[in-house]
Amino acid sequence: MPITQVPYFAFRDFPAGINQQVEEAVLRAFRSQQYILGEEVETFENEFAAYVQAGRAIGVGNGYDALVVALKAAGIGAGDEVIVPANTFIATVNAVVQVGAIPVLAEPDRYTCNLTAAEAAVLVTPRTKAIIPVHLYGQACEMAGFLELSAKHNLTIIEDFAQAQGASYQGRPVGSFGRISATSFYPTKNLGALGDGGAVVTSDPALTDYVRMYHNYGQQQKYHNQIVGINSRLDTVQAAALRVKLQHLDALNSERQRLAQVYLTRLQGIDDLVLPVTAPDCTHVYHIFNIRTKQRDALQQYLSTQGIQTAIHYPVPVHLQEAYTFLGYKKGNFPVAEELAETSLSLPLFPGMTEAEQEAVITCIHTFFERHG
Ligand SMILES: *Cc1c(COP(=O)(O)O)cnc(C)c1O
């Protein structure tokens, strides 16, 4: 019999009182009757830009749109090549295709699971226009090499920091390295809204002006359209909720790091179990706590029978997705990405997870390997 039910993720009132603060903010936004843009959105944009140490932030409808808008603003279009990791969430790659560019997939590092400048460097061609380092699972990519590569070949660096709000490299927040960067406020992200949301951040005033216009129908002034834009705006009510959550983001990330440390300590030295590795100079905010084992499917199945939910990020690497057969890649092209897809398991980890819940996960993993070791 399952001793306890452990969800993969749950929304808890952590830090205590946050739920009430969010409710009050939402009520305030509702009563203001300002539903689209306005002061609440502007204030959140300013607070988020300050947090990321980027010049400006512009709220958009979701993380995917943030990537598309960032690519557009950087002038990426038809025929341009954009280097992306083969093990990212599909949104990163879809956004490249959306603007008419060609995604060029790269192997991740086998320890950090992140794209490295060394892997990207070998894929640079005269048609390469941009690289999208994805701070996967919440760990900052090693950015110095990307900045060198960018200077050497005149490439645009666009960070995808959807999973890593609050992480840093050499003490500087992710999102502040790229010429323009994109993030998501999908509810389960480290900084999550109450629905869809996203933001583009940049310190380049020309790109700021472009994004401001492009995300709101290409208008600089109501009914005066400079460019053919889209409608992708951050809802005012979401901005109100995000302002509250942003104040607690460091506390939420610290709690994730504390929980991760418990797993790292207690799951050491078990058979072939590979625990997450954080590179020097990088911080990890554990959006996902990813472990690896050859017995992944059996372990997941066993945990499930014990009432413990897990997830797989991601079961199919981009080059083996049906949607991407047109790129012409084959199985075997990215051995590291393929191995990650076959062996990765994400354990429950979320702010407010109880000690009893985490103990249950740890105990069950030990029991599984005692039987299958
Ligand atoms: C969640 C996520 C996105 C997309 O965000 P949405 O808001 O769901 O569109 C993009 N990239 C990565 C790495 C993500 O994890």
Side-chain angles (χ1 to χ4, degrees):
M1 275 313 283
I3 23 166
T4 175
Q5 293 290 326
V6 183
Y8 172 68
F9 180 90
F11 295 105
R12 299 270 166 83
D13 188 32
F14 186 97
I18 191 172
N19 283 351
Q20 200 190 327
Q21 290 173 30
V22 170
E23 280 179 23
E24 283 164 9
V26 167
L27 192 60
R28 193 183 65 234
F30 168 68
R31 287 181 176 158
S32 79
Q33 300 186 354
Q34 171 74 54
Y35 300 127
I36 302 290
L37 301 178
E39 203 180 308
E40 197 84 61
V41 173
E42 276 169 40
T43 308
F44 170 69
E45 288 173 339
N46 291 338
E47 290 167 352
F48 188 65
Y51 182 86
V52 175
Q53 293 175 28
R56 305 298 303 170
I58 301 102
V60 295
N62 55 66
Y64 169 77
D65 284 353
L67 286 160
V68 171
V69 169
L71 285 157
K72 277 272 186 191
I76 313 296
D80 295 337
E81 293 178 359
V82 179
I83 299 171
V84 293
N87 60 327
T88 186
F89 176 57
I90 208 72
T92 320
V93 196
N94 286 10
V96 172
V97 174
Q98 175 74 57
V99 301
I102 303 154
V104 175
L105 303 181
E107 272 281 66
D109 178 81
R110 69 170 60 249
Y111 300 104
T112 64
C113 307
N114 270 336
L115 180 64
T116 60
E119 282 293 343
V122 299
L123 299 169
V124 173
T125 75
R127 292 200 296 176
T128 310
K129 288 284 160 56
I131 304 175
I132 309 185
V134 179
H135 306 289
L136 202 71
Y137 301 153
Q139 176 170 191
C141 290
E142 295 165 280
M143 293 306 298
F146 288 113
L147 299 179
E148 277 169 36
L149 210 55
S150 152
K152 189 170 162 200
H153 299 285
N154 194 24
L155 307 174
T156 299
I157 304 297
I158 301 173
E159 294 170 77
D160 178 342
F161 68 113
Q163 301 189 354
Q165 296 116 347
S168 61
Y169 170 73
Q170 292 184 341
R172 223 172 102 188
V174 299
S176 68
F177 294 92
R179 183 166 163 228
I180 185 162
S181 300
T183 197
S184 161
F185 305 125
Y186 186 84
T188 58
K189 301 278 154 112
N190 289 32
L191 178 60
L194 312 174
D196 278 314
V200 174
V201 300
T202 179
S203 295
D204 183 328
L207 297 195
T208 306
D209 292 346
Y210 180 91
V211 173
R212 282 229 174 278
M213 279 195 283
Y214 186 74
H215 90 113
N216 193 19
Y217 287 122
Q219 62 188 28
Q220 199 172 36
Q221 193 190 328
K222 203 159 194 174
Y223 308 133
H224 293 267
N225 306 81
Q226 238 110 1
I227 54 174
V228 181
I230 60 170
N231 173 7
S232 182
R233 300 177 292 228
L234 181 66
D235 282 340
T236 307
V237 67
Q238 300 301 349
L242 285 165
R243 286 187 62 200
V244 173
K245 298 262 196 102
L246 181 60
Q247 285 172 18
H248 297 289
L249 180 56
D250 287 340
L252 292 163
N253 282 341
S254 296
E255 178 60 3
R256 286 177 179 275
Q257 289 169 331
R258 187 192 67 76
L259 290 161
Q261 206 50 55
V262 174
Y263 277 142
L264 288 169
T265 308
R266 300 280 305 283
L267 297 176
Q268 267 182 70
I270 301 178
D271 276 19
D272 74 335
L273 197 65
V274 178
L275 300 175
V277 174
T278 306
D281 290 342
C282 299
T283 69
H284 198 322
V285 291
Y286 295 100
H287 174 61
I288 287 168
F289 191 89
N290 171 67
I291 64 170
R292 282 136 68 185
T293 167
K294 289 202 176 65
Q295 306 183 73
R296 191 266 311 276
D297 292 343
L299 175 60
Q300 182 175 42
Q301 179 60 34
Y302 175 73
L303 292 175
S304 166
T305 63
Q306 299 303 302
I308 295 164
Q309 288 175 17
T310 55
I312 296 174
H313 298 95
Y314 297 94
V316 183
V318 175
H319 68 291
L320 301 179
Q321 294 284 1
E322 197 182 330
Y324 282 105
T325 47
F326 75 94
L327 290 177
Y329 293 108
K330 289 187 296 291
K331 194 167 167 67
N333 283 157
F334 301 100
V336 176
E338 289 167 26
E339 194 201 310
L340 291 175
E342 282 158 19
T343 61
S344 287
L345 187 68
S346 308
L347 299 184
L349 190 159
F350 50 90
M353 183 182 194
T354 66
E355 197 179 326
E357 286 170 330
Q358 195 175 24
E359 275 305 316
V361 178
I362 292 165
T363 306
C364 285
I365 292 173
H366 278 282
T367 307
F368 173 84
F369 281 102
E370 277 156 23
R371 291 182 194 166
H372 295 80

